[in-house]
Each structure stands twice: as structure tokens, then as C-alpha cells.
Amino acid sequence: MSNTDSSPVVRMDHVWVRYHERPVLEDISLTVEPGEILSVVGPNGGGKTTLLHSLVGFVQPFQGRIRVLGKDPSAHRQRGEIGYLPQINHINRLFPVSAEDVVKMARYARRKPGCRLKPEDHRRVSNVLERVGMAQWKHYHFGSLSGGQQQRVLIARALALDPQILLLDEPSTGLDAVAQDTFYQILRDIRDEYGLAILMVSHDIGTVSAFVDRLACLNTRLHFHGKPKDCIPSGVLEKVFGSRFNFVVHDEQCETCGPRS
């Protein structure tokens, strides 16, 4: 499942997207490298979800070029090469299915209508539930699980497709600090084991900075694209988040970034 090609998994070149003639993304150029975890951070309404939707082919740019795994995003819709996890508040928790059934949905999507799952499908479902630590809860009603457990099941569903890249929309929303740390560590482990590239969007720059390889700060335009331990240039956080504050990277090479005199 790993991508052995050294070329970027995602490449956006001068991409513009607009809704009702209003630009939502302006001149976005970024890459996601094989095996890299990149987080796009920014305020609500800053274009983060639109960026994800452009990568899965839900919206088309009116200018610029997007390539995912070397192809137009629409080429991957039915092939399972992209694992997409929408915001959890868009998931119907009351739908009467078990955690295992949620993961099986990904495998049914790869079969013709009316076809049963094959033994290799069941093995894959069991393997990914085990990988995210949810095997013992596989028969539990999905809606009865905690927020962190639901996110792990949804990650398992994405992994069941055998993707080469995961795209996650605000994956830690509603999780407490401990559940967030556990969830991000699972993402790191998955990246290391499967060689996946992971792109996620978040508004919480302080939390994700400790777990990702690179950050991209977005508010309609891309204002920063680099390693978290690198000090973000003066004025960037104000442009992105609309206020002056300090940003601390929580790792061994802790740097304090923000407005400078």
C-alpha cells in the first residue's frame, strides 16, 4: 500500500476556487510528500474544507492545477486510493449499525451491487479494526461509542479501502486532550506502518504542531508552509487567525513564535 514514488502525493499549483464568484481559495500552491503528515490550519471559513473537497474532486478549481497521486482527483473516486474522513458532525450517529458494519461499508463500495463480501474483505475489516484498537468493540452500536472511538472506527473504514493517502477534516473535533493525543499517535503509527501520506485540516495550531511534519497556514491564501519547529514569520498568525498571539510548538525543540518587536 505504500507509495514508492518519490514524487509528491499531492501537488497544487496556483489553485483558485470560488463560490458564487467569491474566491474561497486564492493562488494555493503546496505539496504533500510520500509518508508525510501535513496539517492545514486556519480559522473557520478560511477555506480548509474547500481545499479538501478540491483534492477529492467534489469542487473544481476555476484556475490552477491539482494532481493527487499524479492524476486529476476525479480519477480516484471509484478506486479507493484516497481515504477521506469528513467532519464527524456530518456522520449520522443514530444509524443502526455496528462499528464493524461501518468499516464493511468501505469494502461493499468496491463490490458490485448485491454482491457479498469475500473472505479477503472480512480479513481486511478485522485487520484494520485491530490496527486502530477497536476490535473488541466491533459489535457495539456505532452511536454508543465515544467520540474518540468513533473517529478510530472511521479511520479503520478509510484504511479498509487500501488507500495511499488519508484526507481528514477536523478529525479531533470534540475530543478531550487525552483522546486527541491518542488519536494523533494512532495516525503517526499508521503512517509509519503503511507508508501513507496524511493531510488533515484543523483550526487548532497549538495541538497539531506537536504531531505533524509540516504545517500550512491558510486563510483564503496560504501564508506559511513549513516545519512546525521553524518560527513562523512575523505577522503570519495575525493574517491567518485575525489576532495577535504567541504560538508554542510542543516538542523537544520548543520554539515560541508570534509577533516580534
Side-chain angles (χ1 to χ4, degrees), residues 10-199:
V10 170
R11 178 180 291 278
M12 303 180 73
D13 293 312
H14 304 290
V15 170
W16 293 67
V17 174
R18 61 188 175 192
Y19 287 139
H20 305 297
E21 303 304 316
R22 181 179 68 87
V24 180
L25 298 177
E26 296 183 358
D27 198 26
I28 303 300
S29 294
L30 64 79
T31 60
V32 182
E33 303 299 328
E36 177 180 50
I37 302 179
L38 171 72
S39 182
V40 179
V41 296
N44 293 333
K48 303 188 303 298
T49 296
T50 298
L51 185 146
L52 278 189
H53 285 177
S54 71
L55 295 180
V56 293
F58 293 165
V59 298
Q60 296 294 323
F62 72 89
Q63 187 173 321
R65 185 171 184 257
I66 300 174
R67 287 293 179 267
V68 180
L69 302 171
K71 301 175 184 178
D72 186 270
S74 61
H76 301 288
R77 286 184 182 175
Q78 302 300 323
R79 299 177 61 179
E81 294 168 317
I82 300 174
Y84 172 58
L85 178 62
Q87 292 185 25
I88 197 168
N89 57 13
H90 294 165
I91 304 297
N92 185 355
R93 297 178 176 87
L94 300 180
F95 195 64
V97 291
S98 68
E100 184 179 48
D101 289 333
V102 170
V103 181
K104 284 181 178 178
M105 290 176 186
R107 302 301 295 190
Y108 275 115
R110 306 185 71 172
R111 300 294 179 193
K112 293 181 180 179
C115 290
R116 294 184 176 182
L117 295 184
K118 297 182 178 181
E120 60 264 31
D121 296 312
H122 292 288
R123 284 194 295 270
R124 182 63 181 167
V125 169
S126 295
N127 288 343
V128 294
L129 280 168
E130 182 72 33
R131 185 62 197 83
V132 300
M134 289 300 297
Q136 69 188 91
W137 287 278
K138 65 181 182 180
H139 296 307
Y140 280 58
H141 186 284
F142 179 75
S144 71
L145 301 174
S146 69
Q149 290 173 325
Q150 289 177 352
Q151 285 291 49
R152 283 189 268 169
V153 170
L154 295 175
I155 289 292
R157 184 180 67 174
L159 289 175
L161 290 170
D162 297 319
Q164 294 187 46
I165 181 171
L166 292 179
L167 303 177
L168 314 177
D169 194 352
E170 299 279 6
S172 64
T173 297
L175 305 185
D176 61 33
V178 174
Q180 284 184 0
D181 287 352
T182 299
F183 179 76
Y184 287 131
Q185 187 58 55
I186 287 172
L187 290 183
R188 272 185 167 180
D189 293 343
I190 288 171
R191 184 273 306 273
D192 294 342
E193 181 172 343
Y194 295 109
L196 293 174
I198 299 174
L199 186 153

